[in-house]
Amino acid sequence: MMNVLVLGSGGREHAISWKLAQSSHIQSLFIAPGNAGTAAVGTNLDVDPEDFKAVRKCVVENNIQLVVVGPEGPLVKGIVDFFKTDKNLQGVGIIGPSQVGAQLEGSKDFAKKFMQRHHIPTAKYASFTKETVEEGVAFLKTMKAPYVLKADGLAAGKGVLIIEDLKTAQDELRSMLLDQKFGAASSTVVIEEFLKGIECSVFVLTDGHSYKILPEAKDYKRIGVGDTGLNTGGMGAISPVPFCTPEFMDKIESRIIIPTIKGLKADEIEYKGFIFVGIIKVGNDPYVIEYNCRMGDPETEVVMPRIKSDLLNLLEGVVTQTLSECDLHVDDRVCSTVVTVSKGYPESYEKGKEIKGLHRADEAIVFHSGTKKSGAKIVTNGGRVLAISAYGYSINDATKKSFDAAESIEYSGKYFREDIGKDLIKMLEKI
Ligand code: AMP
Ligand code: GLY
């Protein structure tokens, strides 16, 4: 029996906690800082995941044996290395890569060099800094539109620009490098070849030696119906993904996942955790768009419900490097999630709106993203508020339940995309 701490406060952490709470090995489950949803499956602790000393205090006080790190922030800041070197934390298992491993997400230039070194298919690229800005401007001239510019560091999902016009791309490159448009994150900029295709998210759990491929998902990134408007953290997700056929997944495994795990080992990068591989399908071939050192949000809200095996057992396998002995069984059903957001998101939005009717969603699993308790009420506390997941025997069947529940829950300024999964339904009709 184990005491487990999940770090984070979003829908991803609610879904992970919801799944861990079902484990037969769990004694006590804590979430820091959590939200109103996680409070229903465990105990929330008011601790900032990026304040490592505060995390240590709560691990020691609550006799935690395993920590699951939800977001990338603490990983990129080195929480795993902090645990390994602190004498009070010896023997505490932690799920996530070392700080160097987290650079797969924390530095696009690092990730590109890693992929090049290990022959992992990805868009061609070159990197520039303020010293080489004019070389970058000249390099753009040799590329074809659209131009893809990426801030090297973490930029809250906003650091990727896709620009049609050469002059604008050159101006943006100067502004990223010389005016620090994305702060320190854009002190290096990666310029990439544009790849045209359809995207999906593939998740791998690794103990550094072996790995399990978790259910894949498709995310809906833009705010508007028909994939229009501003980029968001994600407005919905579907799993499984119809175009991820066994043949395509085999290519992903042999050309991307195996070389990634072998590459980490060859480079002596310690990695015990989740790898999120953003894939783009060009023709019939997979290319890596990005790596993340954590699970996706809202993808986790469809991945966790599809895992039938005991998650804590798998995570113990990661810590003890016996993952190869663990079973991973996956539910055949479709799972969909629809994210309800606050009015104004992804730009500025209001918080503190009372959420009513949560109990009405009896055919769905309501994961909380940005909520908190306020006395006896539950109120909105973020741009993304709820991720409403449902099972079905088809995408239509699952999404109908997610939409109906999203409709029945009320708060002022609620908005959700009513077309989650529709593109995949159309794609299936054509086959
Ligand atoms: P990233 O943060 O690297 O995942 O990029 C954000 C989004 O930009 C991706 O999900 C893609 O939709 C798009 N994108 C990134 N790189 C490329 C590329 N080389 N070609 C086409 N689209 C891209
Ligand atoms: N849904 C995309 C992400 O978590 O980065």
Side-chain angles (χ1 to χ4, degrees), residues 87-307:
K87 65 176 184 338
N88 297 301
L89 298 173
Q90 299 303 307
V92 178
I94 182 161
I95 302 297
S98 60
Q99 189 166 24
V100 183
Q103 288 297 297
L104 281 184
E105 173 165 3
S107 164
K108 299 217 181 266
D109 184 51
F110 177 95
K112 284 299 215 182
K113 287 192 174 118
F114 176 86
M115 288 185 265
Q116 211 168 37
R117 194 159 58 242
H118 300 293
H119 312 290
I120 296 166
T122 187
K124 293 193 191 72
Y125 84 106
S127 301
F128 300 92
T129 60
K130 76 173 188 298
E131 284 74 34
T132 55
V133 62
E134 289 312 315
E135 286 167 44
V137 167
F139 178 74
L140 278 170
K141 246 176 140 172
T142 69
M143 307 275 287
K144 278 197 255 134
Y147 305 95
V148 183
L149 307 184
K150 298 186 173 185
D152 176 57
L154 292 183
K158 298 195 171 74
V160 176
L161 302 178
I162 297 182
I163 302 167
E164 286 298 331
D165 155 73
L166 176 62
K167 167 95 180 39
T168 313
Q170 291 172 325
D171 289 347
E172 284 292 349
L173 178 68
R174 288 201 180 96
S175 142
M176 286 168 95
L177 289 173
L178 303 178
D179 311 335
Q180 302 243 313
K181 177 169 179 157
F182 299 102
S186 67
S187 48
T188 298
V189 172
V190 168
I191 300 179
E192 245 181 47
E193 161 200 27
F194 179 82
L195 297 176
K196 195 166 168 42
I198 185 160
E199 290 175 56
C200 63
S201 309
V202 171
F203 301 98
V204 180
L205 180 64
T206 181
D207 62 4
H209 297 301
S210 73
Y211 62 88
K212 301 275 183 216
I213 303 175
L214 306 179
E216 78 286 353
K218 181 171 189 289
D219 178 20
Y220 292 78
K221 287 211 171 81
R222 304 289 193 93
I223 188 73
V225 166
D227 253 327
T228 53
L230 293 174
N231 250 326
T232 71
M235 296 295 291
I238 303 285
S239 178
V241 180
F243 64 84
C244 290
T245 57
E247 295 75 33
F248 189 60
M249 289 306 287
D250 281 349
K251 288 184 188 171
I252 292 177
E253 182 168 15
S254 60
R255 298 180 194 175
I256 293 167
I257 296 173
I258 294 174
T260 298
I261 305 293
K262 281 193 177 159
L264 288 168
K265 246 179 137 169
D267 293 349
E268 295 182 15
I269 296 173
E270 195 172 318
Y271 206 119
K272 291 181 174 181
F274 296 102
I275 312 176
F276 165 169
V277 197
I279 299 276
I280 189 160
K281 180 173 183 248
V282 182
N284 279 318
D285 295 316
Y287 289 80
V288 178
I289 283 280
E290 65 168 344
Y291 285 112
N292 295 305
C293 59
R294 50 168 175 90
M295 287 296 291
D297 195 351
E299 290 97 323
T300 307
E301 292 92 305
V302 294
V303 172
M304 289 301 149
R306 291 196 61 225
I307 296 178

Side-chain angles (χ1 to χ4, degrees), residues 293-328:
C293 59
R294 50 168 175 90
M295 287 296 291
D297 195 351
E299 290 97 323
T300 307
E301 292 92 305
V302 294
V303 172
M304 289 301 149
R306 291 196 61 225
I307 296 178
K308 291 207 283 193
S309 309
D310 187 316
L311 179 64
L312 186 48
N313 183 48
L314 287 160
L315 298 182
E316 286 183 79
V318 170
V319 171
T320 55
Q321 298 193 299
T322 53
L323 186 61
S324 61
E325 293 163 29
C326 300
D327 288 326
L328 172 67

